[in-house]
Amino acid sequence: MSESTRGGPPVPAFLELTDLPGERIAYHLIPATTPGRPGLIFLGGFMSDMTGTKATALQAYAEQCGQAFLRFDYRGHGDSSGLFEEGTIGAWAADATRALDELTEGPQILIGSSMGGWVALLLALARPERVAGLVGIAAAPDFTECMWESFSEEARQAITTEGRWAVASDYSEEPYIITRALIEDGRAQCLLDRPIELTCPVRLLQGSADTDVPWKTAIRIMERLTSSDVEVILVKDGDHRLSDEQDLARLFAVLDRLAP
């Protein structure tokens, strides 16, 4: 358990990556107090960390329900080691797999926000026997290809020849550094060009006014999933974050139905 505060903010624990000396993943983990219910794992978005509104609200929800809950920072994010610009989708999915394997037990419900929805799908494909359900919040599989298609010729040339390009962010004062490695690895991780072979229940929460992930992306994910238990919940005028009080209540209601 990692929730030691001594009057201050929670102090994260660290998972040391023995195969990558010096690398570690910061996390917060609370144990289950009610047996028989699957644990919850929150998978954050691109350049996000585990201290955001959804992550902390989900922890409070899990504590109330007695479910185990894990939130963590990918490498290059938050309190984990590494530089953001050295990361790729595959590397962050590997971090999620390590966290699932080494920090949790039994069935888990994956909750992925934006890029975290892509990571959640990759994790579920890698460990289907451990996944009791998956919830995507503005899930953004293959978003690196959407980025590439939206870039100017100048940006594409810089990424190809110099290996990087800085992109202004709507969510941070710091720009995104988009690297050639991110784009090339993203192509290797793409999911929407083939069936997504999952059988677990999947719920996709999506705002109709999301300017980062078009609402039709949720429909494309549903169409690609082979699971027969898939629902798209389209929120009228909902934004990309889906983190206000009503949005969180909707998310908790979805989780209540997945793990009654």
Side-chain angles (χ1 to χ4, degrees):
M1 183 171 171
S2 62
E3 299 301 289
S4 175
T5 64
R6 296 192 175 183
V11 178
F14 292 92
L15 174 63
E16 303 291 337
L17 307 186
T18 55
D19 58 327
L20 297 170
E23 299 285 352
R24 62 183 191 170
I25 295 171
Y27 69 92
H28 292 283
L29 176 66
I30 62 168
T33 57
T34 302
R37 303 190 75 184
L40 305 175
I41 301 178
F42 180 72
L43 302 153
F46 193 62
M47 279 193 77
S48 298
D49 63 35
M50 61 176 167
T51 65
T53 300
K54 289 189 288 290
T56 53
L58 279 164
Q59 177 162 319
Y61 167 85
E63 289 174 332
Q64 182 177 1
C65 296
Q67 288 172 272
F69 178 70
L70 172 66
R71 54 188 169 110
F72 68 95
D73 288 329
Y74 313 111
R75 281 174 293 156
H77 292 71
D79 290 322
S80 291
S81 64
L83 298 175
F84 171 80
E85 63 191 79
E86 294 177 351
T88 62
I89 302 301
W92 295 327
D95 290 344
T97 304
R98 289 185 179 94
L100 173 73
D101 288 348
E102 300 189 37
L103 300 175
T104 71
E105 297 179 353
Q108 303 290 317
I109 294 174
L110 310 181
I111 307 162
S113 178
S114 193
M115 182 190 78
W118 190 357
V119 173
L121 289 166
L122 292 169
L123 178 55
L125 289 167
R127 298 288 188 272
E129 72 284 355
R130 294 290 313 281
V131 178
L134 190 154
V135 179
I137 306 167
D142 305 10
F143 79 88
T144 52
E145 280 300 282
C146 298
M147 274 185 171
W148 182 256
E149 291 169 6
S150 71
F151 285 158
S152 65
E153 185 57 35
E154 179 188 9
R156 293 187 188 188
Q157 187 68 18
I159 291 169
T160 302
T161 60
E162 300 171 21
R164 55 185 283 148
W165 179 257
V167 179
S169 167
D170 292 331
Y171 303 102
S172 170
E173 294 181 0
E174 297 295 323
Y176 296 148
I177 303 299
I178 306 302
T179 66
R180 184 172 60 224
L182 178 71
I183 297 296
E184 291 177 348
D185 175 81
R187 287 183 181 137
Q189 309 295 337
C190 280
L191 295 174
L192 297 180
D193 57 352
R194 63 180 68 94
I196 304 173
E197 302 281 352
L198 294 176
T199 59
C200 65
V202 178
R203 304 292 180 262
L204 300 170
L205 293 163
Q206 177 67 50
S208 69
D210 188 338
T211 58
D212 293 293
V213 178
W215 65 266
K216 290 184 179 180
T217 301
I219 305 300
R220 292 183 66 197
I221 299 170
M222 178 183 68
E223 291 173 343
R224 291 300 187 185
L225 284 161
T226 59
S227 172
S228 60
D229 188 359
V230 182
E231 297 177 9
V232 174
I233 302 165
L234 189 61
V235 181
K236 184 176 182 180
D237 298 328
D239 62 9
H240 184 62
R241 291 179 182 273
L242 290 180
S243 59
D244 67 19
E245 187 174 339
Q246 286 183 319
D247 295 324
L248 292 173
R250 186 178 295 107
L251 171 60
F252 300 154
V254 166
L255 292 171
D256 286 343
R257 293 193 295 272
L258 281 177

